[in-house]
Amino acid sequence: MNKITKILIGSNNKGKFKEIADLLPKGIKKNSPTQFSLKSPEETGNSFIENSQIKANYFSEKTNMVTISDDSGLEVNCLNGKPGILSARWAEEYGSFDNAMEIILKEVEKANRNEKIKDYGAKFISCLTLKWPKGEKISEIGEIEGTITTKKGKNGFGYDPIFIPKGFNITFAEMNYKEKLLIDHRFIAYKKLEKKIKNYF
Ligand code: IMP
């Protein structure tokens, strides 16, 4: 079995890159797509797993390196799971994450306006894929449930300010970096993946 001594973290999202880098073993060399001047491929899949594998295949083929990729997003119950796999694209379409969060908050209020039992439930989902160039790939999904709230906190990235994970009373953006890192959807997916790949490290 060839040990993994270096890895490409197939993400151009700084927040995700840092979290994945900090979950991986310290001893291995972590590389980024920017070192190879690579943009992310188009996400043409219909699920987190498809898009995660599209990225892993693309980056491992381009760099010939073992690659770990993430596709993730926020699913809001009362919005029928939106923005879901379109989480990054909503931010692009509406001009910023701040704007996309405002839209989500408005839509959630609208969906709940005439409901006796209000539903603010949501979950973050991450699918991590580890891919060997010209070889096998392994994907694992992690989910964390919680509720949508008005924007609070300055830490983290993306939709962190509007999400309170179950069992807490602060948003991801109010947590310190380590606290979020060790409970979130990527961490849960990574722990599942780790069980299958730990002999490679
Ligand atoms: P993609 O996986 O590149 O399609 O992008 C996923 C998008 O989901 C990111 O750009 C973020 O907006 C959002 N997202 C994924 N994980 C997190 C997280 O841990 N916190 C906040 N937003 C996240």
Side-chain angles (χ1 to χ4, degrees), residues 30-64:
K30 287 108 184 168
N31 297 278
S32 77
T34 46
Q35 288 170 252
F36 297 85
S37 304
L38 287 173
K39 294 227 165 81
S40 297
E42 211 185 320
E43 296 179 14
T44 51
N46 290 315
S47 63
F48 290 109
I49 186 161
E50 280 178 20
N51 285 334
S52 172
Q53 294 186 349
I54 286 170
K55 289 182 233 185
N57 288 342
Y58 175 82
F59 286 124
S60 68
E61 196 179 297
K62 289 282 180 198
T63 61
N64 210 29

Side-chain angles (χ1 to χ4, degrees), residues 96-122:
S96 67
F97 278 105
D98 251 12
N99 292 350
M101 284 189 281
E102 288 301 335
I103 298 285
I104 291 175
L105 293 173
K106 265 194 207 135
E107 294 285 320
V108 166
E109 281 316 314
K110 203 160 94 188
N112 277 309
R113 195 168 296 148
N114 298 318
E115 301 296 329
K116 269 209 183 115
I117 299 169
K118 315 264 183 217
D119 183 1
Y120 290 96

Side-chain angles (χ1 to χ4, degrees), residues 11 13 16 19 40 43 48 51 55 70-74 84-89 91 97 124-126 156-161 172 180 184-186:
S11 179
N13 176 313
K16 288 206 281 190
E19 286 193 8
S40 297
E43 296 179 14
F48 290 109
N51 285 334
K55 289 182 233 185
D70 160 283
D71 194 63
S72 47
L74 178 67
I85 60 167
L86 302 177
S87 295
R89 274 166 275 179
F97 278 105
F124 266 118
I125 299 175
S126 159
F157 65 96
Y159 298 99
D160 281 343
F172 268 169
K180 182 200 168 200
D184 75 5
H185 43 309
R186 248 175 308 282

